[in-house]
């Protein structure tokens, strides 16, 4: 039986995953998901734009809209970058799931994540703009919310208690008002 080893390099450690006979590296990364629980909470802080493998993305150029005179009709400067989000093994699973939740309108029926830019009249600048957009989306998806400190928890509980008391007083006031409308005399 033939065995393969895959070395996964991360900024904080190097993990080795041994696999059985397989020509498909997708299986390696699926097995690697169990190691993702060791991801540091500051993964997004360690992530850099240079870590995005944008050269592997499918890139297309189209004619751009907007100002530019006759140049708009001649030169294809609009950039459209797309990649399969399920195959983006350079992203942790929780980041991919968060991207799907936050950017449903950027994912097509094939499961491709699509980013476009026609901000400038240059293909290179628009390509850089697409990479910047992808980087910002990844950073937003990779943020892990901080746990509230004890002071904040106590303040919230105190405000909830005050709100509950106000609601109770309001109900009692309404009950007294309605009970005062009842006829209590005899004929």
């Amino acid at each position: 039986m033939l065995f393969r080893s895959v070395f996964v390099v991360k900024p904080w450690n190097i993990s080795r995953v041994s696999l059985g006979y397989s020509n498909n590296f997708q299986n390696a990364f699926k097995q690697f998901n169990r190691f993702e629980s060791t991801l540091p909470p500051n993964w997004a802080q360690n992530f850099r734009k240079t870590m995005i493998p944008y050269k592997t993305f499918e890139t297309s150029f189209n004619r751009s809209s907007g100002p530019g005179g006759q140049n708009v009709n001649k030169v294809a400067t609009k950039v459209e970058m797309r990649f399969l989000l399920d195959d983006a093994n350079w992203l942790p699973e929780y980041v991919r799931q968060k991207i799907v939740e936050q950017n449903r309108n950027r994912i097509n029926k094939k499961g491709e994540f699509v980013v476009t830019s026609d901000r400038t009249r240059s293909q290179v600048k628009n390509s850089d703009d697409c990479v910047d957009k992808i980087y910002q989306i990844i950073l937003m998806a990779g943020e892990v919310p901080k746990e509230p400190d004890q002071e904040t928890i106590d303040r919230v509980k105190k405000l909830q208690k005050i709100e509950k008391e106000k609601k109770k007083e309001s109900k009692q006031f309404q009950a007294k008002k309605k009970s005062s409308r009842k006829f209590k005399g005899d004929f």
Side-chain angles (χ1 to χ4, degrees), residues 7 10 21 24 59-60 81 92 100 144 149:
F7 287 94
K10 299 180 185 176
Y21 178 72
N24 188 356
T59 306
S60 61
M81 285 189 175
V100 170
V144 178
D149 58 341

Side-chain angles (χ1 to χ4, degrees), residues 71-158:
N71 192 45
V72 171
N73 300 326
K74 292 190 272 184
V75 182
T77 57
K78 180 179 178 181
V79 177
E80 186 176 275
M81 285 189 175
R82 59 180 65 217
F83 63 95
L84 281 171
L85 201 55
D86 292 337
D87 293 344
N89 297 318
W90 47 277
L91 291 173
E93 182 64 30
Y94 77 94
V95 174
R96 285 183 270 169
Q97 290 173 355
K98 200 95 176 257
I99 288 173
V100 170
E101 291 172 13
Q102 294 175 347
N103 299 286
R104 290 185 191 272
N105 58 336
R106 292 184 186 257
I107 299 172
N108 63 15
K109 291 180 181 177
K110 296 178 186 176
E112 295 175 327
F113 187 72
V114 181
V115 178
T116 60
S117 176
D118 59 354
R119 189 174 290 177
T120 66
R121 295 186 212 170
S122 166
Q123 283 184 355
V124 175
K125 289 180 182 176
N126 284 337
S127 295
D128 291 341
D129 188 43
C130 280
V131 173
D132 287 339
K133 286 180 181 180
I134 292 170
Y135 177 67
Q136 292 301 321
I137 289 168
I138 291 170
L139 286 183
M140 288 176 57
E143 285 182 4
V144 178
K146 294 180 182 177
E147 292 291 324
D149 58 341
Q150 190 60 37
E151 183 179 320
T152 306
I153 293 171
D154 293 341
R155 190 177 80 238
V156 168
K157 285 182 180 178
K158 181 180 174 184

Side-chain angles (χ1 to χ4, degrees), residues 32-87:
F32 181 73
N33 284 341
R34 63 189 167 123
F35 294 107
E36 285 187 354
S37 61
T38 62
L39 284 172
N42 59 354
W43 178 87
Q45 293 174 353
N46 294 333
F47 188 74
R48 301 286 174 252
K49 195 184 330 183
T50 56
M51 299 167 97
I52 299 173
Y54 63 91
K55 292 183 179 179
T56 62
F57 296 169
E58 183 181 322
T59 306
S60 61
F61 302 97
N62 301 315
R63 289 190 182 146
S64 179
S65 62
Q70 293 177 357
N71 192 45
V72 171
N73 300 326
K74 292 190 272 184
V75 182
T77 57
K78 180 179 178 181
V79 177
E80 186 176 275
M81 285 189 175
R82 59 180 65 217
F83 63 95
L84 281 171
L85 201 55
D86 292 337
D87 293 344

